[in-house]
Amino acid sequence: MSFRRFPEGFLFGAATSSFQIEGATEADGRGASIWDTFCAEPGRIHDATDGRRACEHYVRMPEDVAMMADLGLRAYRFSVAWPRILPEGRGRVEPRGLAFYDRLVDRLLERKIEPWVTLYHWDLPEVLSQAGGWPARETGDAFVEYAAVVAARLGDRVKHWITHNEPWCISMLGYMTGEQAPGHKNWGEALRAAHHVMLSHGQAVPVIRAHSAGAKVGIVVNLCPAEPASPSAADADATRAFDGFFNRWFLDPVYGKGYPRDVIEDYARLGRIPAAELDFVRPGDLEAMAAPTDFLGINYYSRAVIRSDSVPESENAPRTVFATGERTDMDWEVAPQALTALLKRVQRDYAPAALYITENGCAYATAPDADGHVRDVERTRYFETHLAACLDATDAGVPLQGYFAWSLMDNFEWAWGYEKRFGLVWVDYETQVRIPKDSAHLYSRVIAAHGLES
Ligand code: FCB
């Protein structure tokens, strides 16, 4: 065992998102979001729950900020609920909605916790969805207007801005697999949605800067490193295709490379688009999407081991990559070493000015013992090994400048409802009592020591 120190200035925080924790979905003039609608549709949420109460953060915000300070967090990444600010999606601003985030920012600063604002973490105003949602270009225009309203109000104090959280999930889970709101299943819509999300990111960057002197602006992508299951050519090609679909489709345009040609050809061949061209890309879009940013946020949970389904498994041997066998409650493999490799690869291929892990964590249901203590051994280990993986990356020269644990507390895990618990802090949803888990105590020690025994 040796003590490994993080680079000077390395930032430690925790992340949440509005719909997952706030509750109070009808308070202070908030408009409906696509997640309210989605939750109300039978069969969409595994445990048939919704976000009406969640963690009651909207009313418990002061005690939650005090809890963050007690844990020693230096930064807090949260999202602003668009339907609280613009209940009709565009136009009329709801001052009570803005006032909530204003108070939150002030409280955080009072406790010396850096606010990191995500503008879009999936709660699109329902009216905009009715008008076409992300597959409609106008939704992107509305997003830029919304970004201006929030940046104008908070930009004097908030200096770290994230436009969108996870364009892959917004577009692919929302419009292709239908697992998330609004629950559509249409490739054409999904690719249009992705385009408008990334385009509105690029268009919002200068708008945010104009309202927030010295702001650092970036986007957050969820990346999934892919490894072929065998040395076969078929597995290599399936891995290329998966990486293109999941990672490059989003990183390439944001870093000025345009959409990856090989993936456009895959999509045309598979009939996902009518021809090997993207009819929704207008002149100037690719330049706008590639607006220079200050950092890239990466959400990392697991890797994928890819085997081609074009050849029978028996003919596709030997396997070279094996799962470690350890899986979280999401059934995601625990793979810290893939995080180091991913960070190095992103640095090599895209060279962002700075990198942050904007989410990393795991779901385990571990509940309080009879003595009220939450001994979440697996989660503690997960954070230790992934923080060590970050150190391996910084040792190798990757400009990784911070880490946000997902999540500050157990919350509404989208289509899974409250079944999956990702929190550093246990939430009793009946009483709303919060109990920091062992993993939270470990994280506090890491922050205080600015390093890790490993
Ligand atoms: C990410 C989301 C976050 C949370 C985690 C587990 O995809 O950004 O809101 O649901 O997964």
Side-chain angles (χ1 to χ4, degrees):
M1 285 276 251
S2 68
F3 182 76
R4 300 177 70 188
R5 228 185 124 69
F6 282 89
E8 216 44 54
F10 193 93
L11 189 67
F12 292 101
T16 63
S17 87
S18 47
F19 192 78
Q20 294 181 275
I21 64 166
E22 286 178 358
T25 48
E26 290 180 7
D28 290 345
R30 176 186 178 277
S33 86
I34 53 173
W35 275 93
D36 301 291
T37 313
F38 195 67
C39 292
E41 292 171 11
R44 293 295 202 180
I45 311 298
H46 292 231
D47 61 0
T49 55
D50 57 49
R52 281 181 291 186
R53 202 172 162 209
C55 304
E56 296 186 352
H57 172 73
Y58 196 73
V59 290
R60 295 173 187 273
M61 180 271 281
E63 57 181 274
D64 286 340
V65 174
M67 179 175 79
M68 293 177 218
D70 289 344
L71 291 174
L73 300 183
R74 303 283 151 82
Y76 174 49
R77 174 180 172 231
F78 61 94
S79 78
V80 173
W82 186 346
R84 288 199 193 279
I85 310 301
L86 294 141
E88 291 99 37
R90 327 175 72 137
R92 185 179 65 86
V93 174
E94 171 50 69
R96 292 172 293 175
L98 269 180
F100 169 73
Y101 298 103
D102 203 76
R103 292 196 302 275
L104 168 58
V105 166
D106 283 345
R107 287 238 167 210
L108 290 168
L109 292 173
E110 265 166 42
R111 304 307 299 259
K112 303 210 168 14
I113 301 170
E114 226 172 68
W116 281 56
V117 170
T118 307
L119 286 165
Y120 187 71
H121 200 129
W122 307 358
D123 39 4
L124 183 70
E126 174 62 27
V127 281
L128 294 182
S129 191
Q130 295 299 324
W134 286 111
R137 200 171 163 102
E138 295 70 31
T139 299
D141 301 336
F143 172 77
V144 180
E145 288 171 25
Y146 155 67
V149 171
V150 180
R153 178 61 179 265
L154 305 180
D156 56 338
R157 287 151 293 152
V158 171
K159 296 299 171 191
H160 292 91
W161 295 89
I162 290 158
T163 52
H164 290 291
N165 178 69
E166 303 187 345
W168 183 88
C169 291
I170 300 168
S171 52
M172 293 301 157
L173 301 181
Y175 294 93
M176 191 275 281
T177 70
E179 288 162 80
Q180 297 198 340
H184 298 188
K185 292 186 179 179
N186 180 311
W187 267 100
E189 281 191 34
L191 295 174
R192 283 189 151 64
H195 185 65
H196 300 137
V197 167
M198 289 188 285
L199 177 61
S200 65
H201 149 75
Q203 292 169 330
V205 170
V207 172
I208 297 167
R209 291 199 204 288
H211 289 288
S212 182
K216 304 269 191 223
V217 190
I219 189 169
V220 163
V221 287
N222 54 311
L223 300 180
C224 185
E227 295 168 45
S230 82
S232 73
D235 282 355
D237 193 57
T239 304
R240 172 202 60 74
F242 178 90
D243 180 57
F245 154 71
F246 210 104
N247 303 317
R248 286 183 288 125
W249 193 261
F250 300 90
L251 285 170
D252 281 15
V254 166
Y255 282 92
K257 299 182 180 199
Y259 284 105
R261 193 70 226 164
D262 60 312
V263 189
I264 296 177
E265 278 158 17
D266 289 347
Y267 288 169
R269 187 169 34 81
L270 294 164
R272 295 172 181 171
I273 48 176
E277 62 188 55
L278 303 172
D279 56 6
F280 46 80
V281 180
R282 296 197 190 160
D285 283 5
L286 294 177
E287 291 73 17
M289 293 160 94
T293 50
D294 301 291
F295 63 88
L296 176 70
I298 295 177
N299 293 353
Y300 175 78
Y301 289 94
S302 188
R303 67 166 178 176
V305 177
I306 304 291
R307 200 184 70 75
S308 166
D309 51 17
S310 66
V311 256
E313 190 164 4
S314 53
E315 288 171 28
N316 200 7
R319 279 180 164 263
T320 51
V321 179
F322 290 90
T324 56
E326 242 187 295
R327 293 191 168 256
T328 71
D329 285 358
M330 298 298 279
D331 204 29
W332 296 343
E333 186 196 356
V334 177
Q337 68 295 340
L339 171 57
T340 311
L342 171 71
L343 286 164
K344 289 187 191 164
R345 179 258 175 121
V346 168
Q347 179 55 22
R348 187 193 65 218
D349 292 352
Y350 302 98
L355 279 160
Y356 288 86
I357 295 298
T358 35
E359 288 181 26
N360 176 236
C362 52
Y364 289 105
T366 331
D369 287 334
D371 61 358
H373 202 101
V374 186
R375 296 177 173 82
D376 58 337
V377 179
E378 292 98 338
R379 180 177 294 93
T380 304
R381 182 86 200 119
Y382 185 100
F383 281 126
E384 283 172 339
T385 53
H386 286 75
L387 285 164
C390 290
L391 279 167
D392 291 341
T394 55
D395 284 354
V398 175
L400 178 68
Q401 297 187 4
Y403 176 96
F404 292 79
W406 183 270
S407 178
L408 173 66
M409 56 187 154
D410 296 336
N411 59 44
F412 178 76
E413 181 46 37
W414 308 112
W416 293 99
Y418 297 94
E419 273 171 18
K420 308 290 183 201
R421 291 178 177 267
F422 276 90
L424 288 164
V425 174
W426 171 269
V427 176
D428 179 323
Y429 293 112
E430 282 309 311
T431 61
Q432 291 293 335
V433 163
R434 279 101 159 105
I435 306 174
K437 304 176 188 178
D438 272 1
S439 56
H441 300 305
L442 171 271
Y443 196 41
S444 296
R445 290 196 298 275
V446 170
I447 300 171
H450 205 74
L452 183 73
E453 295 285 350
S454 82

